[in-house]
Each structure stands twice: as C-alpha cells, then as structure tokens.
Amino acid sequence: MSTFSFIEATSWQCAECHQPLQPTKVNVTYLNSVFNVELMACSQCGFILVPEHLAVGKMLEVEQLLEDK
Amino acid sequence: MDQLQLRAIEFRCIQEEQPFCTASCPIHVDVRAFMAGLAKGDLREARRVLDRTMPFPEIIGRICDQPCYSFCKRGEIGEPLATARLERFCVTNSTTVLKPPKLPAKGGTVAVVGSGLSGMTAALDLGRKGRQATLTTSVPGLGGSLRGYPETILPSETLQQAATLLAGYGVILQLATPVDREFIAALPAKYDAVYFDFDEIDATLLPFAVGRPDPLTLSLKHAGCFAGGGIPEGASVFSVIKQVEDGRRAALTIERYLQKVSLTAQREMEGACTTRMYTVTTGMPHLAQTIPADLAIGYTAAEARQEAGRCIHCECLECVKQCVYLREYKEYPKTLVRKVYNNQSIVQGTRNANKMINSCSLCGQCTTICPHDFPVADVCRTTRQEMVRGGQMPPSAHDFALEDMRFSLSSFCTLNRHQPGTASSRYVFYPGCQLAGSAPEAVKSTYQYLTGQLQGGVGLMLGCCGIPAHWAGEEKLFAETMEGFRAELERLGNPTVITACSSCLSIFQEFAGDVQISSLWQVLDTLELPVHPDLLPRQSLTIHDPCTARHQAGLQASVRSICNKLGLNIVENRFNGKLTDCCGYGGLMQYANPLLGAKAAVVKAARSEFDGLAYCAMCRDNLAASGKRVAHLLEYIFPVFEANEPLDRKNPGFSQRHENRARLQQDLLTTLWREPSAPEPEHKKIRILLTQEVLDQLNRRLILEEDVQKVIHQASRTGRHLINPDNNHRLACYKPVRVTYWVEYEPTDQGFVIYNGYSHRMLLPEEKP
C-alpha cells in the first residue's frame, strides 16, 4: 500500500513531552478503509497533528468519497 | 422502489409529454423545436425538424392545413402561431438538410394504386423501410388532387422533386398507366400487399367487396388490401396532413402485415392524440400575430423570426419554477426520481445522488403545485429510510441534527411535569425544541399565560417530537422517540397537547395515534389576548407560513385572526398557505447541504419586500440569518420589554440554541417547580472567549461551543496538547462521539481565548470508532 505524505515544517510541539514533532507513519481509518499516511507526530508519546488545511481539505474530500461508496 | 413503482411515479410527471401542437399534428411534427430554430434565425435547424418528420417537406410545408392551430397555447394570450405560414417561409427559403436513410432491402412487394399524397407517402415510407413499392397512376404526374393547387402556391416542380425522391428510395413509378377493374383484380396475386389511394381511385372501381378501411389500420376486408386518402366519410373538407397520416399509417400496417405481427398493438399514439401537458400562461405578455407586409409573398426573414419568437415553448416545470432544490440540481421530478432509482441500484461504485436525496426539504410544495401530485418528498424520505436500513446513509449528512435532537431529549433539556401545585393536567404545553432554543423567554411567558387562562391544569413538556429522525430516515430512532413521547404523555394522564410548533403538530397528528392535539395558535385565538399597541411595529409585516403548516388551513386562519386582534398590519404574499416555501430547515436540508439551505431561506425571504412575521421558530431564525427583518408572533403577544426590537433579533446559532434549551429547563425547574436541575457537566464550567468571526466559523463548521469546552477540558485533564512557543497558543483534540474536534486556544486570566476550530471524521490510530 502506498503512503501519502503530509509532512511539513510546523511550530507545534508536544506540550507533555517538550518534543518537536517528527514525520511519522500512521494508519488512519474511515468506514472500513485504511490509509497509510505520514503525519507530524510526537516521537515520544505519539500525539498526532492533523493540521486545519488537511482536516477541511484532503481528509474531508476522502471522507465524502467513502461515504458515497 | 422497484421498476414498476418507478414507472408509476415517473408517469405522474408530465414535463416530457408532447406539447399541444405536436400532439394535435397527425404526424407529430416537433413544432416547438421548429419554432425555436426559426426564432433564433437558424433556418437549417428549422428545416431539419421538418425533414425529420414530413415525407415531402417541399410540398407539405407549402400547403399544410395546420390542425395544430386551434390547440396552440399562444391562443390564450394572443392569436395562435401562424405555423402554416412559417412552414411555407421555411421550405421556400431552404433546401433539404436531413435525408432519412434507406434501410437494406428485405423482400416483400407492395403495389400502391393512385398517386395522391397518401399514396406517395405510403410508397416513400415503404421504400425507406426497404420494401419494393410500385406506384401506379393513370395520369402523367404525381399529386392526385394536389395538382389542383395554383402554381403560385404549389409549383409543379415540387411534384417533380417528389418523383425524384421516390425513385431515389427505389420506388417504381408507373405513370400514365391505365388503372381499370381488370388491372386492379390482378394485383393481389402479383403483390404481397396493395394500397389504394382514394384521393385518386374511386372505391367503386375495386372488383371485390372491400368494405370501409379500418380506422386504426386502414385494412380492407380483402386480405392484403389497404386503403386511405381522399376525404373520409364524415369529413367535409380535404385535409393535406390527413393524406400524409393515412399514407404513413398504411405503410406501418403493411410493414407489420409483411412481418406477420399484430396490426393493432400499441398504435394509440399514431395520428392526432391528446396530451397531458400542463402549461400555465398566466402572467405571460399578450402578443398579436405577425401579419406579413406582403400577403402574397408571405413572411420575410425578420417577420418569420418575430412570429416564431411568439412561441412560448410549452412545458410544465411549474414545480421547478418555485423549488430552489429542483433548480439547484437542474432536475424535474421525472428525471429526479430516475436518478434516485439508479443511485439505489448501484451495488459497487459511487452513489453520486446521495447528497441530492438528502438535500430535499421534504416540504411538499412541488406536490401541491403538481397537477398530478408528484411525490418528490415521499420518494426522497423513503429512499433515506432505505439508505439507513442498507447501511448506505453517509454518516455526515444528518449526524449533527440527530445529535442536536438527542441533546434536546437528554436529561439536560427535557421536562415533563404537571402544573406546579397540581397532580393532574387537562392540557400540556409542548413548545417544541426549536422555540425553546430560539426564544426561551417566549416559552416561559406563553406557559405562564396558559396556566392563568385554562382551567384543569396545564402541564409542560420540553423535548423533541423526533422529526429530525423522521426526516433523516432513521425509523428506529423515530419510533423510539414517539414511544417515549406517548409514555410521558400517558404518565401525565393523556392531557390535550398544545403545541407551538407546526412540525410537532404534523408529526403528532400523523404518528401519535389517538392523542388529543391542538395548535397553540388555535388555542390562543379563543382566549383574551394581552394587547400592547405601543410595542407593535407601525409598518406592515408579511406572514411567512411554515412549510409544515402547508395543509393546516385552520391554524393559518387562527394566526391571521390573532394578528388582527393584536392590531398588527398584515399583508399576504403569494407564496403563503398551500404554496409556502421551506426556510431550509425542513428535511434537514441545511445540514446535508448548507449552501442550498441558505439559498432556500433567501428565496423564502424574498417572496415579499415587507418585513416578516413568522410563527415557526426555525423559519424565524433562518429568515433572520438570511438578512431579513423578521419577528416571531409570540414576541408581539408576550413582548420582552427590555429586549431589542423583535424584528432585529439575530439568529441565535447552533450553540446558543443548545444553551437556551438547557437553561430554560434549569430555570423552569428551579423557579416553578422548586426542584434542583441535573448537575452541570464539568466541561461547562470552562469559560471560553470568542470573537464573532470565530463563532461564525464554528457555526459554519457545525462545531458547538460545548464541543470546544469538551476539547479544552479533556486537554486540561490529561495534559495532552500541542503548544506553539512562538505565540503560546495551544492545539488540542477530542472525539466525544464520532467527530474529532480540534481547537486552537490560549489560556488567559479572563478565560480561554479561542482562535480556531475544525473537525474530521477519519479516525487516528488511538481513536476507536
């Protein structure tokens, strides 16, 4: 399965671990579909950042596509 | 919906019926398309229309007796279109554009006796179908009685062109050949079929008993013999287009005869027929017929264009003209239901019509307008039920509205009590969830007023009738809600329900069984009302009836009677009562399709230039959101003295409506019943500070202030959030039910300043579905 990369430079840091976010491969799922994506996340606790442009852009697009399948 | 049901429903939409001119034309020329071509000056396009249907346009176009004339709708608003004159203009100024193909020869020989227009037409149609036709006439040329027309009307070259055309399709022409009893007697043995054109051949010349031609098939009693043309029995004048009809009808019969199939099956639509087309001419400008400057020459190009421009292009679309939803999707009911059907037939692949199905307001305006009561709302609503049952309903379509409904039915908002200090109720006031959310003060005042006016105890029920679930196709949830309502009502001793909401009223009337229901307006109309003339607006207001009161004539009359008693100046608009529009809330349109919902509110608001008066809380708020000055009727019966002008009250938005419902319950419980309300959840104690801009963004993204509080509460509790050292903003997320909310915020001494909020439905690895 191919991985879609959404890594980007970000000022957000993990408040709990005091760590900058690192590109991390994760699986996101919706309606029985699994996607391999690379997102920025805390390397220590795994807190994943979903930036606004991704949530209201590509992610929403894919959600709606899947909802009509 | 199965195929049969689909066809039965489709049949009710008459948009694709023939227009009146085409239906009344014996050969069904597409006059509407012909006029469209001429009106834009496209002579070739107009000629193409004639070539497609007319066997000999050069002839018929010059002498058509236009039986369509008296059926033309333009006749209701000016004289009918001068179709024959326009045909003449077309064929005298154009040459053949379209030449129908000749099918491969397929055997069978046909004799056509007599060369009138019906014989010519029969021979041509048979030649085109690949049958070998032989046309015999005793005279030296074609045309039968057409030869009697003066040269100026029908030049003889048109008949010569016809002979060339016939020969081109392989028709054998035997001109100047004696046709006597002996010749005719020999034909049945020599040919597979024989057609007699009575325009030229006298029936008494036939050597065998034939009887009159059968009107449907033109068959004679003698096997393989057919006849038509001339002036039929009972008619007094010679009709050119009737000759064409007979020739065409005979050719079709002979074709079937040669194929040995039924001569009679499915021939109802041949010849002039009736149509179910429905075209309203009211309001269209009256236009007189264009008279050619030179009658002998006929129309000039400019005159023809002007005359064809009078065609009103008969169609129905009465529902589409009013419905913002049908217009948005560029459908009329027949095409819409077909798309719905196809959408539901998809097993694997994308169901492109899901959003369309979920965008209908289910308001029923189209059904009321439709001459055949086309049930768009029923189709959309029952399809939504099918989608929910089949697990195909997109989760995002109605989720927010259903969560809102669950909140209204939660312990934070519901209240079911007898009047304070009493143990039984003759009545119970049911304001409905949206009035409680929009105007809680009006609910309190109305309840206090009713308890003072009505004898026998007036209980109170705060809740939701379940209509969002009904609209969303969630049958199970809706049934549970209705069951819950009935159980509570029974617990109160089945008092008469007085509801302020016409949606609740419609739902209870249809689904709550033998429960006694009244509308608040009808009750108020029987009581002495508090009158505050100083607080009423001086200007006239137009009433906006809600769509769910469309068929509640009594309720509508009570509202007007109340306005009259209060001293409000009311003006009606044309789209009230039965024809009223939905504000965008109906059918959960504004959740499934927010942009369309907003458009619906704008359309409803624009039905009158006067300031508005609503008596449905959702109409009030959605019209206000569209920018219209609009008040709720209760605000003039029970004015809140310190409040601003009711006409300028803003749309409270989703969060405020939530808050209002919960506070209303708390207030009433503590002040009237002296009972403690349910403890406020911890997250509600979080103080958030928002600019209007951020609040509007949250509303558009269907994020409640309470969702924001939940995110911050969760982040504070667990310590899990992100931080931006540049500006000290924090970013946290939380998924209370199905949606993950993200909030960007900053803690300050005054509370949490909110900068942004967004959401997604996709699950991150640590989240559970």
Side-chain angles (χ1 to χ4, degrees):
Chain A
M1 197 194 288
S2 55
T3 303
F4 298 93
S5 180
F6 297 100
I7 55 175
E8 58 184 34
T10 178
S11 305
W12 292 112
Q13 297 183 359
C14 181
E16 214 174 12
C17 312
H18 307 287
Q19 294 288 322
L21 305 185
Q22 301 290 339
T24 310
K25 283 185 179 168
V26 293
N27 286 338
V28 293
T29 53
Y30 192 56
L31 301 176
N32 305 320
S33 290
V34 184
F35 300 89
N36 239 315
V37 294
E38 207 170 4
L39 293 172
M40 301 303 283
C42 172
S43 55
Q44 207 160 312
C45 71
F47 191 111
I48 297 164
L49 166 67
V50 177
E52 180 185 17
H53 66 87
L54 180 61
V56 302
K58 197 75 195 162
M59 230 177 191
L60 178 66
E61 206 178 290
V62 174
E63 283 168 9
Q64 291 182 340
L65 263 170
L66 291 174
E67 289 194 348
D68 287 338
K69 284 286 171 197
Chain B
M1 189 173 15
D2 59 30
Q3 281 260 356
L4 274 178
Q5 288 167 315
L6 169 72
R7 301 234 184 281
I9 295 173
E10 275 185 328
F11 182 71
R12 292 162 83 162
C13 178
I14 43 109
Q15 169 61 12
E16 290 172 14
E17 284 277 307
Q18 289 181 342
F20 307 94
C21 45
T22 305
S24 59
C25 172
I27 57 167
H28 302 303
V29 170
D30 189 352
V31 184
R32 191 170 55 182
F34 172 69
M35 295 299 174
L38 285 182
K40 60 181 180 198
D42 189 343
L43 201 55
R44 278 178 61 81
E45 179 51 36
R47 178 62 189 256
R48 189 191 313 275
V49 173
L50 299 186
D51 288 351
R52 199 177 295 131
T53 318
M54 284 183 177
F56 303 99
E58 297 285 352
I59 296 172
I60 301 158
R62 284 180 164 84
I63 55 175
C64 177
D65 48 320
Q66 54 172 13
C68 57
Y69 191 79
S70 58
F71 293 89
C72 176
K73 265 282 172 188
R74 180 40 95 176
E76 292 176 7
I77 37 166
E79 295 93 333
L81 280 145
T83 307
R85 213 171 246 157
L86 286 167
E87 286 174 52
R88 188 175 177 81
F89 167 79
C90 179
V91 300
T92 50
N93 291 285
S94 64
T95 53
T96 303
V97 172
L98 185 89
K99 201 166 170 255
K102 178 181 178 359
L103 298 181
K106 50 187 171 183
T109 56
V110 185
V112 176
V113 188
S115 66
L117 189 52
S118 90
M120 289 163 66
T121 302
L124 180 69
D125 280 8
L126 286 163
R128 283 174 176 168
K129 288 177 203 291
R131 303 294 184 184
Q132 179 60 63
T134 306
L135 193 153
T136 309
T137 175
S138 55
V139 293
L142 297 176
S145 42
L146 301 191
R147 287 193 300 274
Y149 279 96
E151 187 69 16
T152 48
I153 305 270
L154 188 66
S156 51
E157 67 182 55
T158 59
L159 293 170
Q160 282 150 21
Q161 278 174 8
T164 312
L165 182 70
L166 284 164
Y169 281 101
V171 175
I172 299 167
L173 297 176
Q174 294 183 335
L175 307 180
T177 303
V179 176
D180 53 19
R181 288 175 81 88
E182 196 187 340
F183 173 83
I184 291 170
L187 291 175
K190 279 171 69 181
Y191 293 91
D192 297 312
V194 187
Y195 177 69
F196 298 101
D197 181 353
F198 283 167
D199 180 39
E200 200 175 277
I201 303 298
D202 192 336
T204 57
L205 202 64
L206 272 52
F208 30 77
V210 289
R212 262 187 254 148
D214 175 83
L216 182 67
T217 63
L218 301 182
S219 306
L220 297 173
K221 285 222 178 74
H222 197 282
C225 292
F226 310 88
I231 303 174
E233 227 179 61
S236 53
V237 285
F238 177 84
S239 161
V240 170
I241 203 77
K242 173 73 180 152
Q243 308 304 305
V244 181
E245 181 196 346
D246 278 7
R248 180 148 288 173
R249 192 182 283 275
L252 194 62
T253 301
I254 291 168
E255 177 64 22
R256 287 180 178 215
Y257 177 78
L258 295 175
Q259 288 180 0
K260 298 187 169 51
V261 295
S262 166
L263 303 189
T264 54
Q266 294 194 322
R267 301 192 66 169
E268 305 77 21
M269 299 304 281
E270 274 175 54
C273 59
T274 56
T275 175
R276 297 185 303 137
M277 179 53 85
Y278 178 79
T279 300
V280 178
T281 54
T282 320
M284 287 188 187
H286 185 289
L287 286 176
Q289 206 175 82
T290 312
I291 307 297
D294 186 334
L295 279 169
I297 293 175
Y299 284 138
T300 62
E303 287 166 343
R305 207 166 164 174
Q306 182 186 331
E307 176 60 9
R310 294 199 311 127
C311 176
I312 59 173
H313 299 284
C314 286
E315 55 182 357
C316 181
L317 296 186
E318 285 301 305
C319 54
V320 179
K321 285 177 200 164
Q322 304 310 334
C323 175
V324 67
Y325 162 67
L326 291 170
R327 280 204 306 277
E328 177 85 0
Y329 282 95
K330 298 186 174 57
E331 304 288 351
Y332 46 89
K334 187 172 186 171
T335 53
L336 177 112
V337 70
R338 173 55 60 128
K339 279 202 176 155
V340 170
Y341 178 82
N342 289 343
N343 192 69
Q344 293 314 97
S345 309
I346 289 169
V347 180
Q348 275 206 323
T350 306
R351 294 186 180 85
N352 287 317
N354 282 352
K355 189 167 179 182
M356 181 186 83
I357 294 164
N358 285 324
S359 295
C360 172
S361 73
L362 310 179
C363 82
Q365 183 194 49
C366 56
T367 309
T368 307
I369 291 173
C370 176
H372 300 284
D373 303 336
F374 195 103
V376 173
D378 282 354
V379 168
C380 288
R381 197 179 47 74
T382 53
T383 305
R384 291 179 198 179
Q385 290 176 342
E386 255 176 53
M387 289 160 75
V388 171
R389 265 183 253 136
Q392 303 147 10
M393 178 58 86
S396 66
H398 304 127
D399 207 8
F400 184 83
L402 294 173
E403 279 306 314
D404 192 49
M405 171 179 146
R406 285 190 187 96
F407 179 70
S408 297
L409 287 166
S410 73
S411 58
F412 297 111
C413 299
T414 52
L415 184 67
N416 300 293
R417 293 284 188 284
H418 291 299
Q419 189 173 325
T422 68
S424 70
S425 298
R426 193 168 159 205
Y427 304 97
V428 64
F429 178 44
Y430 195 97
C433 62
Q434 300 298 5
L435 185 64
S438 172
E441 290 307 315
V443 172
K444 286 187 212 165
S445 314
T446 307
Y447 181 56
Q448 274 173 339
Y449 170 78
L450 290 175
T451 53
Q453 293 281 321
L454 298 172
Q455 303 300 310
V458 183
L460 182 68
M461 284 179 93
L462 299 181
C464 170
C465 68
I467 204 167
H470 182 58
W471 283 336
E474 294 279 349
E475 294 167 277
K476 190 165 164 276
L477 178 60
F478 176 60
E480 285 165 9
T481 309
M482 196 45 53
E483 214 171 286
F485 166 75
R486 295 207 52 173
E488 286 299 335
L489 198 64
E490 198 169 326
R491 213 176 47 74
L492 294 176
N494 287 319
T496 296
V497 180
I498 300 173
T499 178
C501 171
S502 51
S503 301
C504 299
L505 182 74
S506 68
I507 280 289
F508 294 152
Q509 282 176 336
E510 192 174 348
F511 298 101
D514 51 2
V515 168
Q516 296 291 313
I517 312 282
S518 284
S519 116
L520 171 68
W521 312 109
Q522 283 166 298
V523 172
L524 290 179
D525 196 23
T526 62
L527 302 174
E528 186 80 23
L529 290 173
V531 180
H532 313 274
D534 301 345
L535 296 172
L536 297 183
R538 298 227 170 82
Q539 75 272 36
S540 297
L541 303 179
T542 191
I543 293 185
H544 289 287
D545 288 315
C547 60
T548 46
R550 184 180 309 288
H551 301 296
Q552 304 275 2
L555 186 163
Q556 293 166 14
S558 292
V559 166
R560 280 140 181 93
S561 164
I562 290 168
C563 291
N564 193 33
K565 287 179 196 169
L566 295 176
L568 283 163
N569 300 316
I570 293 304
V571 281
E572 293 291 346
N573 71 75
R574 202 158 77 75
F575 289 90
N576 254 348
K578 279 199 171 116
L579 292 181
T580 198
D581 311 285
C582 171
C583 68
Y585 175 66
L588 306 181
M589 176 198 260
Q590 71 185 72
Y591 301 97
N593 193 335
L595 292 176
L596 185 60
K599 273 190 200 172
V602 169
V603 166
K604 187 173 175 96
R607 293 299 194 181
S608 168
E609 72 271 26
F610 290 94
D611 291 343
L613 181 66
Y615 56 98
C616 160
M618 280 316 298
C619 287
R620 208 310 300 181
D621 289 352
N622 279 344
L623 291 173
S626 81
K628 175 120 182 161
R629 298 189 79 213
V630 56
H632 192 285
L633 178 53
L634 282 179
E635 294 174 285
Y636 290 126
I637 306 176
F638 308 111
V640 182
F641 291 93
E642 66 273 27
N644 293 328
E645 167 61 48
L647 287 167
D648 294 326
R649 184 160 64 87
K650 282 181 57 188
N651 169 30
F654 297 122
S655 294
Q656 191 60 48
R657 243 180 247 135
H658 247 235
E659 192 62 30
N660 284 344
R661 277 179 218 142
R663 284 232 190 99
L664 176 66
Q665 186 236 39
Q666 283 172 14
D667 279 5
L668 290 170
L669 262 184
T670 49
T671 56
L672 292 184
W673 281 275
R674 311 272 172 208
E675 286 178 35
S677 56
E680 202 173 54
E682 280 301 307
H683 63 257
K684 294 278 285 181
K685 293 178 182 142
I686 286 175
R687 187 169 150 73
I688 56 172
L689 307 164
L690 306 124
T691 59
Q692 189 59 46
E693 203 181 329
V694 172
L695 185 61
D696 289 344
Q697 170 89 303
L698 294 178
N699 262 318
R700 275 195 300 277
R701 290 180 169 175
L702 299 178
I703 300 171
L704 298 172
E705 287 174 46
E706 191 171 350
D707 297 324
V708 171
Q709 289 171 314
K710 283 177 185 169
V711 172
I712 296 174
H713 177 251
Q714 178 72 4
S716 309
R717 211 173 53 81
T718 60
R720 283 175 69 76
H721 63 270
L722 301 175
I723 191 153
N724 185 341
D726 302 341
N727 54 16
N728 212 28
H729 287 190
R730 296 179 180 191
L731 184 65
C733 67
Y734 180 55
K735 182 168 88 74
V737 190
R738 278 173 295 275
V739 178
T740 303
Y741 298 99
W742 289 80
V743 177
E744 184 179 342
Y745 61 99
E746 183 184 7
T748 68
D749 295 342
Q750 288 79 42
F752 291 88
V753 178
I754 310 301
Y755 295 105
N756 196 8
Y758 54 91
S759 69
H760 58 79
R761 291 174 166 267
M762 273 207 179
L763 300 175
L764 299 175
E766 71 263 30
E767 292 172 336
K768 305 223 161 28

